[in-house]
Amino acid sequence: MAKTGEPQGDTARAMEEKAEGRLRELFEKMPYPASIFLFTDEGQNEPFNQAAREVLHILHRVSPKIQIKEYDLGHEQARKWKIQSSPTLLFDPDRCKARWLGAPIGEETKTLIIALQMLGYRTTGLSEDSRKILKKITSPRHIKVFVSPTCPYCPQQAVNALNAAFERPDLISLEIIDIQVNPDLAQKYGAQSVPQVFANEKLIAMGAQPEELFMSSLEKMEEQRIYIPESDAAELETDLVIVGGGPAGLTAGIYAARSGLKAVIVEKGVLGGQIATTPVVENYPGITQVGGKALVDIMVEHALQYSTIFPGEEVMEIQPGDPILVTTNRRRFKTRAVLLATGARYRNLGALGEARLSGHGVSYCSTCDGPLFSGKKVIIVGGGDSAVTEALNLRNINVDVTLVHRRDGLRAQEHLIKSLQSNNIPILFNTEVEEIRGEQQVKDVLLSDNQTGHKRTMKVDGVFVAIGYDPEVGLAKKLGVELTPDGYIKHDSRHRTNIHGIYAAGDVEGGYKQIVIAAGKGSEAALAIFEDLINPYWKKSVKGMGEELIAESS
Ligand SMILES: Cc1cc2nc3c(=O)[nH]c(=O)nc-3n(C[C@H](O)[C@H](O)[C@H](O)COP(=O)(O)OP(=O)(O)OC[C@H]3O[C@@H](n4cnc5c(N)ncnc54)[C@H](O)[C@@H]3O)c2cc1C
């Protein structure tokens, strides 16, 4: 009889073989070899040296077009290229000035694979607009991108920087810096959240950016938040534009296309939405326990079989009409319907010092920034499932964590509370954070007991905020979509909003916030949209929500 572990082992091996097969195909088509130098020093960061070596050797085994040379830090090649830390990867120095201080593991393996393709094809996939922006750069830029292998947002920003360095090797040089391998450098730059980008020693971006915004920030040497595409931006025609690539949007993409609609998914940040940063998911049917990012990968792979996904692209404007015009920061869509699956974004604490120290010890993502605080002391603020899950995640990576909650009891699931207790994570009940203090980085917090009024200072290196999420309704409001008194998108039972052709699904509609529910709403909305679009009796003038369908002939 088969042991329970065997099928899972077989599945994992089958998935590995499939992934290797795909990579082989990808690399074999490259017209040129991609060459990488690995520099190591036995006494420095040996586990990371070994990890870097293993990843590179696997890739070389997959295709001989990936050419690896390894040198000791004492070798003349190390002196020639001024390499001082171990491990360092140097991308073909004849083609570009890009190096990687650390091991390309975890999320960062993706970045490495894209870099290898840039070398092998000798081209970047940059948009015309990005190229135009880069052409405007006339003086040198030295970029430093701080990343972590556990950060799902980091590859997007690292790839942006690689694109810039590959496109303009005459003026742009790049160091990708893994904060786990180089905590001293992260400390020196005050880079306590990832990704962060410095150019010529100046902070120019925090968090992941769409491609054109990254290039504009690099050109202007300060963070840019808005990029307006030029008037001749590409225009695509489709039946349905889905705004948001979280579980609701991805599922809607599958269902819409299976119904016969041409659907596209536009995602401004990281595919998977909130799950991308969820350490562990234990309640998605059919999968007992899975890392949030692993679940995202499965969903994205599935959605890609049906819909086109435009990642790193933000929907900036929607003009209702027939057709509806959707403008992103890169192109325009003419579409018959739009599904707003924009989800929710984390809530700020509102404490003094929070905004100023965000990215310098104040964090909203333990999965991304947790490793920076290994061996250090932090508080996590909140009392629900997210706060407890993230506290357990931090403890698991050797962070000294205390939970701070303003009420006298937690609102998390029983089994999470039990784990919190069995891990001896201290909890400060009835406690509020009044101020987060520190010059360049968080040094301490001012806590107040809301029962006694007693105030005290607690020395900490970091503050993680997990106090809930607000619906992401900026775009909906701009469009004139009606909201509920709680600020969610008002919709009828078929997910229609008050604007003809505009629908909503997922967390942005309110109700229970769970992956399976968001996915369910996404599928339901896609089916409703399909029925509305094919229904010859659906009169164009129907205003949507709450109205009966009016037969055109009536
Ligand atoms: C820390 C944490 C742990 C969780 N754990 C669990 C769990 O264990 N089990 C569970 O069932 N649920 C869990 N949840 C809840 C679950 O993740 C959400 O209910 C679910 O992700 C909602 O899906 P959604 O698609 O509606 O929205 P989201 O996941 O929020 O996705 C919306 C997407 O839309 C994108 N977007 C927004 N505006 C635009 C725009 N203008 N242009 C382009 N894209 C845009 C956003 O970038 C985002 O990626 C957790 C949530 C968090 C935060």
Side-chain angles (χ1 to χ4, degrees), residues 263-284:
V264 300
I265 302 170
V266 184
E267 169 54 56
K268 70 172 175 177
V270 175
L271 284 169
Q274 294 165 62
I275 356 171
T277 54
T278 304
V280 190
V281 176
E282 293 182 332
N283 53 7
Y284 194 75

Side-chain angles (χ1 to χ4, degrees), residues 73-353:
L73 276 195
H75 194 275
E76 66 179 50
Q77 284 288 345
R79 279 193 293 282
K80 178 176 174 190
W81 301 109
K82 298 190 174 65
I83 310 284
Q84 286 165 347
S85 70
S86 171
T88 297
L89 273 66
L90 189 67
F91 295 101
D92 189 344
D94 293 332
R95 308 256 147 243
C96 62
K97 291 185 212 131
R99 59 185 61 186
W100 193 312
L101 278 55
I105 50 178
E107 294 293 326
E108 290 306 318
T109 312
K110 279 183 214 146
T111 311
L112 175 67
I113 289 167
I114 294 172
L116 293 171
Q117 288 177 72
M118 286 183 201
L119 288 172
Y121 287 95
R122 296 206 184 155
T123 181
T124 63
L126 280 179
S127 68
E128 262 321 297
D129 279 13
S130 294
R131 288 202 168 102
K132 280 185 200 158
I133 301 167
L134 283 177
K135 274 195 190 132
K136 291 189 209 158
I137 295 180
T138 53
S139 59
R141 301 280 191 276
H142 179 66
I143 310 174
K144 285 187 169 69
V145 185
F146 287 88
V147 300
S148 146
T150 53
C151 162
Y153 301 98
C154 289
Q156 188 174 329
Q157 203 67 329
V159 167
N160 282 337
L162 277 164
N163 272 322
F166 277 64
E167 196 74 28
R168 291 294 310 268
D170 53 331
L171 286 178
I172 301 175
S173 56
L174 165 67
E175 282 174 298
I176 299 174
I177 302 170
D178 177 340
I179 54 162
Q180 289 192 28
V181 182
N182 302 279
D184 296 349
L185 267 179
Q187 181 82 13
K188 182 176 160 197
Y189 283 83
Q192 289 194 309
S193 73
V194 281
Q196 280 194 33
V197 182
F198 293 78
N200 301 352
E201 308 296 299
K202 183 176 183 244
L203 181 65
I204 59 156
M206 270 208 216
Q209 294 173 298
E211 184 186 298
E212 289 82 1
L213 276 183
F214 176 92
M215 304 306 160
S216 301
S217 306
L218 186 62
E219 193 242 322
K220 299 204 161 47
M221 287 297 287
E222 67 182 347
E223 181 152 11
Q224 304 295 304
R225 293 179 194 278
I226 298 176
Y227 176 75
I228 312 283
E230 297 197 358
S231 54
D232 60 352
E235 193 166 270
L236 298 176
E237 281 188 32
T238 187
D239 294 320
L240 172 63
V241 172
I242 298 165
V243 189
L250 291 171
T251 314
I254 296 169
Y255 272 75
R258 285 176 64 88
S259 304
L261 296 180
K262 202 170 153 200
V264 300
I265 302 170
V266 184
E267 169 54 56
K268 70 172 175 177
V270 175
L271 284 169
Q274 294 165 62
I275 356 171
T277 54
T278 304
V280 190
V281 176
E282 293 182 332
N283 53 7
Y284 194 75
I287 309 178
T288 326
Q289 192 188 64
V290 62
K293 197 65 195 20
L295 183 56
V296 170
D297 290 345
I298 298 169
M299 280 191 186
V300 170
E301 193 174 349
H302 193 178
L304 271 174
Q305 288 179 16
Y306 294 99
S307 297
T308 310
I309 301 182
F310 295 91
E313 204 163 318
E314 180 170 1
V315 173
M316 317 288 286
E317 203 183 338
I318 299 172
Q319 281 172 262
D322 184 18
I324 301 168
L325 299 179
V326 176
T327 307
T328 75
N329 52 351
R330 207 169 291 167
R331 75 196 86 233
R332 289 191 182 82
F333 294 96
K334 274 185 183 166
T335 183
R336 299 167 69 198
V338 170
L339 177 64
L340 298 171
T342 49
R345 55 170 280 121
Y346 59 76
R347 199 173 282 160
N348 293 315
L349 196 56
L352 277 173

Side-chain angles (χ1 to χ4, degrees), residues 49-62:
N49 295 339
Q50 192 51 31
R53 207 172 277 135
E54 272 171 27
V55 171
L56 292 176
H57 285 158
I58 289 172
L59 293 174
H60 173 68
R61 198 187 65 216
V62 165

